[in-house]
Amino acid sequence: MNAPPSALQTAPPSGAPVVGVLALQGDVREHIAALAHAGARAVKVRRPEELEGLDGLVIPGGESTTIDKLARAFGITEPLRAKIRAGFPVYGSCAGMILLADEIADPTQDLSGCPQESFGGLDITVRRNAFGRQRESFETDLDFKEVDQTGGPVHAVFIRGPWVERVGPDVEVLAEVDPSHASHTAALGGRSRIVAVRSGRLLATSFHPEVTGETRIHELFIRMIRGEA
């Protein structure tokens, strides 16, 4: 396992892209550390006006329903949707993947019966908590397209993670969990499950690279922002 995120913080270089982390709930601090290590200047974002001047945004892992409700309460949902439609680069991990999906297979409902919402942008269908609950959390190594392979496979931590059940024609599959190489196989049913996708300037993973010190996913996102990937 790589160094913990707290050990990765470095001063951003001159001209570094400014990347926001949606700081409503979830593992915000870890993403900020990973982005700094990847060469970005990371800032917390909660309100619509804080989206201005950003080169990209990370939606962290956490509770997708809570982030959805707070985003609407803070008035950031519609401005963020508009920016995503206009081509704004966004990376979502775990709950962030759910919030970037155009379709949620099993959305929760509030007390009035209204289903949870997403920001959308990725032509995918996701299933929440697909790998199981907290006690079924697991780790595995993944072959991940578009990252530097000299460091070996990407070590992925799944904590109540979603998986992707459908991808649209413009969505690229970057990584899948192979049942023969996973430590948690009961939920897989003998089938590989999609856990990382990209479409244009949108990137999403089911797992949490920020909690292990795995920074290659954030480095890929920075290259996407710069137009280098």
Side-chain angles (χ1 to χ4, degrees), residues 70-115:
L70 289 173
R72 284 184 276 159
F74 277 80
I76 202 170
T77 295
E78 289 304 327
L80 181 52
R81 283 175 176 162
K83 286 183 74 70
I84 290 172
R85 287 194 296 268
F88 184 55
V90 182
Y91 164 45
S93 67
C94 198
M97 170 183 271
I98 296 168
L99 288 160
L100 283 177
D102 284 346
E103 183 180 21
I104 303 171
D106 54 343
T108 62
Q109 295 185 345
D110 62 21
L111 294 178
S112 62
C114 296

Side-chain angles (χ1 to χ4, degrees), residues 1-126:
M1 185 177 294
N2 296 324
S6 59
L8 298 175
Q9 297 191 45
T10 58
S14 176
V18 181
V19 181
V21 178
L22 190 61
L24 299 173
Q25 190 264 343
D27 46 358
V28 175
R29 178 182 63 86
E30 293 84 354
H31 274 293
I32 287 176
L35 286 166
H37 182 78
R41 182 163 72 87
V43 296
K44 295 180 180 179
V45 173
R46 294 185 180 90
R47 302 183 183 279
E49 59 269 23
E50 295 170 340
L51 291 170
E52 299 306 316
L54 297 180
D55 298 303
L57 181 75
V58 171
I59 304 173
E63 295 285 346
S64 62
T65 52
T66 300
I67 296 173
D68 165 37
K69 291 176 182 177
L70 289 173
R72 284 184 276 159
F74 277 80
I76 202 170
T77 295
E78 289 304 327
L80 181 52
R81 283 175 176 162
K83 286 183 74 70
I84 290 172
R85 287 194 296 268
F88 184 55
V90 182
Y91 164 45
S93 67
C94 198
M97 170 183 271
I98 296 168
L99 288 160
L100 283 177
D102 284 346
E103 183 180 21
I104 303 171
D106 54 343
T108 62
Q109 295 185 345
D110 62 21
L111 294 178
S112 62
C114 296
Q116 73 179 99
E117 298 181 14
S118 70
F119 304 125
L122 279 174
D123 184 11
I124 60 174
T125 302
V126 298

